[in-house]
Amino acid sequence: MRYVSLFALVFLLAAGCSSHVVRVGPPLTHYAVASPEALGSALVQSLSRLRYAIEQHQGTKIVASRVHGNSSFRIQIDYHNTGYQVTLLESFGMGEGVDEEGRRLISSRYLRYMRQLEGNVTRNLRLGQSSGEGAPVMTQQGQMVAQAARP
């Protein structure tokens, strides 16, 4: 009986920790008023702080990856003086799939990672402004790209 209760508890905890699947849409667009240099610096600082591996940084393009447990993903960030776009390049172990309409699916954890990155970039831009390093700052997410998939 004790083992049945333990199994039920573990099952409920696992179910509560699972994430749902969302559709992958066009690139996530974020608007930020900053020089490309200030925005690039804020992006690199944020990626490093959040434990992304920066694979490439040329001009105004960054390719980075993140590994967490048995899952990973790679993103490309293109930035300019009015904001940046994050494009999902590939992912593994994140509930990848295709819906009935042929659109890519991924775990909602990906959206949490992107919100975390956006918040960190915003914070770094504000810190850069308060230390007199640059112009930045109102960062606002342009549009939510992934929509919750219907079961």
Side-chain angles (χ1 to χ4, degrees):
M1 182 69 163
R2 198 166 134 198
Y3 292 109
V4 172
S5 297
L6 180 60
F7 177 74
L9 178 63
V10 169
F11 179 76
L12 289 174
L13 287 174
C17 294
S18 68
S19 58
H20 64 283
V21 178
V22 294
R23 290 186 181 116
V24 177
L28 292 169
T29 302
H30 304 273
Y31 299 102
V33 180
S35 69
E37 296 80 19
L39 187 51
S41 176
L43 284 162
V44 167
Q45 289 173 4
S46 297
L47 290 166
S48 296
R49 175 171 289 157
L50 296 171
R51 298 187 176 124
Y52 284 76
I54 298 173
E55 300 172 6
Q56 177 185 0
H57 186 187
Q58 290 183 319
T60 58
K61 177 176 121 178
I62 299 171
V63 175
S65 60
R66 171 124 194 222
V67 177
H68 184 77
N70 292 331
S71 61
S72 66
F73 61 90
R74 290 180 68 226
I75 56 174
Q76 177 176 314
I77 304 171
D78 296 293
Y79 61 95
H80 41 79
N81 61 341
T82 59
Y84 60 99
Q85 283 190 322
V86 181
T87 305
L88 176 65
L89 298 177
E90 61 185 350
S91 64
F92 301 99
M94 295 194 66
E96 300 85 354
V98 178
D99 69 6
E100 57 280 345
E101 297 170 13
R103 292 183 281 192
R104 272 175 77 186
L105 301 173
I106 192 168
S107 167
S108 62
R109 289 179 296 156
Y110 173 72
L111 292 180
R112 287 196 303 267
Y113 286 126
M114 293 303 100
R115 283 191 294 268
Q116 186 180 38
L117 176 61
E118 178 188 21
N120 230 283
V121 170
T122 301
R123 189 170 22 264
N124 284 334
L125 286 172
R126 287 190 179 130
L127 289 174
Q129 182 184 36
S130 65
S131 68
E133 289 181 9
V137 204
M138 271 298 189
T139 300
Q140 173 184 12
Q141 184 170 351
Q143 63 185 109
M144 199 53 158
V145 200
Q147 303 165 350
R150 294 185 182 102

